[in-house]
Amino acid sequence: MNKIVIENLSLQYSDGTESLRDISMSIRTNAITVLFGPAGGGKSTLLRCLNRLNDLTEVKAVGGQILLDGENILDPGTDTIALRRKVGMVFARPVVLPMSIRQNLTYGLELAGEKRKSRLDEAVERSLKLAAIWEEVKDRLDDPAIALSGGQQQRICLARVLALQPEVILLDEPTSGLDPISTGKVETALQELKKEYTVILVPHSVQQAGRTADYAAFFLQGELVEYNDGKSLFTTPKDKRTEDYITGRFG
């Protein structure tokens, strides 16, 4: 079953740069879909289109449509605040709020009107467990989040998104600055998260793409070159450009 259907999506920035050219693909529910390829290929731009974060950049023209549960989110009447609760995003560089670990997770819920302590406590524990960091921080929830390591901060940022119970999680190179152990913990968490959520990941390496992908899409200079289930794409790619990139001949 498809959670998102992208049809003929094109995007051009105000400086004339064409970041996406006629992209059509479907994102499966409860799976990890990986967008990979060289820098400047349009992966992060596509990710930002999926919750309208590109509205905040200098975009000249957007064409096509993105259907989330059958609704075109590029429609001018879309409630972008509601959309971003439904489609949460975790960025490459973890930015924790200057608050306690607990407050980092409850802040968004309180803004949305949740005041019941029992519900807030429940959300904190649930999201920290899903982000695979509960055991590390459960006895220090009132400590400042900034005191945590980089890998822990990244998982706090993931938990903060999860606290709002989105349906789709977007991750833009979430492990690019992390050590191998922290990277492994994030990747393990993603395998659990896909049971409840639809996950779309821009990985920081081809190796990570191969390890995590249920489905994989190879992007090159704004073009979707190839899209298939992860196993097929990484073992028997159909396009020579995909094969050359996976085997390290370029990129």
Side-chain angles (χ1 to χ4, degrees):
M1 185 176 166
N2 295 323
K3 182 69 175 174
I4 298 171
V5 177
I6 301 166
E7 297 178 343
N8 308 113
L9 178 67
S10 296
L11 184 142
Q12 187 175 23
Y13 287 111
S14 298
D15 63 2
T17 308
E18 191 175 36
S19 188
L20 295 170
R21 289 201 305 276
D22 200 28
I23 305 297
S24 293
M25 62 185 289
S26 299
I27 306 289
R28 303 281 292 190
T29 304
N30 298 120
I32 298 174
T33 298
V34 164
L35 315 177
F36 76 104
K43 310 178 298 292
S44 293
T45 296
L46 176 57
L47 217 57
R48 284 165 169 77
C49 284
L50 296 176
N51 69 351
R52 295 275 298 268
L53 276 178
N54 275 327
D55 291 9
L56 309 174
T57 59
E58 296 292 317
V59 173
K60 180 180 178 183
V62 181
Q65 56 182 7
I66 299 173
L67 304 175
L68 173 64
D69 296 327
E71 298 284 324
N72 182 18
I73 66 168
L74 298 181
D75 190 293
T78 298
D79 181 342
T80 53
I81 293 172
L83 172 66
R84 288 172 194 149
R85 280 199 65 178
K86 200 172 184 178
V87 185
M89 183 140 177
V90 180
F91 297 94
R93 186 166 168 266
V95 180
V96 294
L97 301 171
M99 304 172 175
S100 69
I101 295 167
R102 187 195 311 275
Q103 288 169 317
N104 262 269
L105 272 67
T106 60
Y107 180 74
L109 290 168
E110 287 171 344
L111 274 183
E114 182 57 76
K115 303 297 182 195
R116 291 167 292 183
K117 186 177 184 302
S118 60
R119 286 294 177 89
L120 294 172
D121 288 347
E122 190 181 292
V124 167
E125 183 172 345
R126 178 182 176 278
S127 53
L128 287 172
K129 282 180 175 175
L130 283 169
I133 192 172
W134 170 250
E135 292 299 327
E136 294 168 51
V137 301
K138 64 182 180 182
D139 298 322
R140 47 192 293 210
L141 294 177
D142 295 315
D143 290 359
I146 197 73
L148 297 171
S149 71
Q152 289 172 323
Q153 286 186 34
Q154 187 60 285
R155 281 176 286 149
I156 291 295
C157 290
L158 175 57
R160 192 169 68 207
V161 168
L162 294 171
L164 292 169
Q165 292 192 290
E167 295 174 21
V168 180
I169 304 167
L170 312 175
L171 301 111
D172 194 358
E173 297 192 28
T175 61
S176 60
L178 306 186
D179 61 79
I181 291 171
S182 295
T183 295
K185 287 180 178 177
V186 171
E187 289 180 7
T188 299
L190 295 183
Q191 295 300 328
E192 286 300 309
L193 287 171
K194 75 180 184 186
K195 295 172 184 175
E196 291 189 47
Y197 304 92
T198 299
V199 179
I200 305 169
L201 168 70
V202 173
H204 78 266
S205 67
V206 174
Q207 291 77 16
Q208 184 175 61
R211 286 194 302 268
T212 55
D214 294 311
Y215 297 90
F218 176 57
F219 283 80
L220 185 64
Q221 297 176 323
E223 178 190 350
L224 173 57
V225 174
E226 189 168 347
Y227 180 46
N228 208 338
D229 67 90
K231 186 178 180 184
S232 299
L233 193 141
F234 287 105
T235 55
T236 52
K238 294 185 172 68
D239 192 292
K240 189 175 186 306
R241 292 169 294 175
T242 311
E243 183 181 355
D244 286 349
Y245 185 73
I246 290 170
T247 55
R249 292 195 187 99
F250 82 93

